Amino acid sequence: MRVPTVALSAAIRRTGPAAVLLFAAMPVVSADDLRVLTRVRPSPRILVGGNGWPLDVPPSVQRVGSIGHAVSALADAVV
């Protein structure tokens, strides 16, 4: 991840967002990084977009295929 997982986890704990959208255009992210984020409390909805994500993302992580899908998923998370 371009932002270290530990830094992103700390930001999530500090701010408590309802959802986090992560975008990766290049395959540089591991499913292990995502598993760490799914265990952060408070637990936001984790959304991933772009072609850089591995096929084996955790079941609780939602893939978004377009900006429209991402916006809808983010809006659903805050309602």
Side-chain angles (χ1 to χ4, degrees):
M1 254 190 231
R2 190 102 166 141
V3 175
T5 304
V6 67
L8 186 53
S9 296
I12 291 170
R13 279 192 295 279
R14 212 172 33 256
T15 62
V20 175
L21 172 62
L22 304 168
F23 182 84
M26 297 175 59
V28 295
V29 180
S30 76
D32 291 336
D33 291 328
L34 292 174
R35 282 185 194 80
V36 168
L37 295 178
T38 63
R39 294 189 292 265
V40 173
R41 298 291 178 252
S43 181
R45 182 179 296 178
I46 304 292
L47 310 168
V48 295
N51 296 326
W53 298 101
L55 296 176
D56 62 338
V57 298
S60 61
V61 172
Q62 181 181 352
R63 287 183 184 272
V64 293
S66 68
I67 191 68
H69 186 200
V71 170
S72 292
L74 290 168
D76 288 346
V78 297
V79 173

